Amino acid sequence: MTDKSKVFVYPKDVSAFGFDWGKLALTVAPEVNGATRFSGGVVDLPSGKGHTRHNHPGAEEIIFVISGHGEQMVEDEKGNPMVEKVGPGCTIYVPESRFHSTLNTGDGPMQLFVVYSPAGPELVLRELPDFRLIPPGQ
């Protein structure tokens, strides 16, 4: 249920998308608070885990590293992988429909904030075989 009064949202207060590689808690989205042009949330990746190469057709993505260290891949316009080590404070821009992946290479957890524009492509994650909905507070 959408609550347009939810302008201050913590990840613990919303359901999260759980996967074998970590979780995504959407804190800004049409279904959370009525956002119409983008969605976003917090991704938690345990040490040694990450999401495999994928894309979001028709959408751009911003990835901001809050904590931890990892390896980020974003393909260039010809499909060649560009790989960089990333850490706290790094912003990664994923152009529209580009393939990308993230791997936590650090000893501890890695936390990211991601933004999708337009909103919606992240909902296809619900169709992945390892998807599970994690209730708020867990």
Side-chain angles (χ1 to χ4, degrees), residues 9-135:
V9 182
Y10 289 90
K12 66 178 178 55
D13 295 333
V14 296
S15 296
F17 296 5
F19 306 95
D20 293 343
W21 50 261
K23 69 179 181 178
L24 165 63
L26 290 174
T27 53
V28 178
E31 64 274 15
V32 174
N33 45 22
T36 58
R37 296 187 178 162
F38 58 87
S39 60
V42 178
V43 174
D44 291 297
L45 299 171
S47 182
K49 299 287 185 175
H51 59 78
T52 58
R53 178 185 176 273
H54 68 284
N55 73 339
H56 306 283
E60 296 175 291
E61 182 176 359
I62 297 167
I63 303 169
F64 179 80
V65 181
I66 298 170
S67 63
H69 295 275
E71 193 170 270
Q72 181 67 48
M73 185 281 291
V74 178
E75 290 185 353
D76 67 17
E77 61 279 348
K78 294 180 181 177
N80 300 310
M82 300 181 295
V83 180
E84 291 283 334
K85 292 191 182 307
V86 296
C90 183
T91 299
I92 300 106
Y93 168 60
V94 182
E96 182 179 336
S97 305
R98 293 272 179 89
F99 282 91
H100 57 285
S101 63
T102 308
L103 176 64
N104 179 350
T105 59
D107 294 334
M110 184 177 195
Q111 191 170 64
L112 313 169
F113 188 81
V114 297
V115 177
Y116 307 96
S117 179
E122 67 285 354
L123 297 179
V124 300
L125 295 171
R126 291 175 174 257
E127 298 171 16
L128 294 175
D130 63 338
F131 169 81
R132 65 191 179 286
L133 192 63
I134 302 171

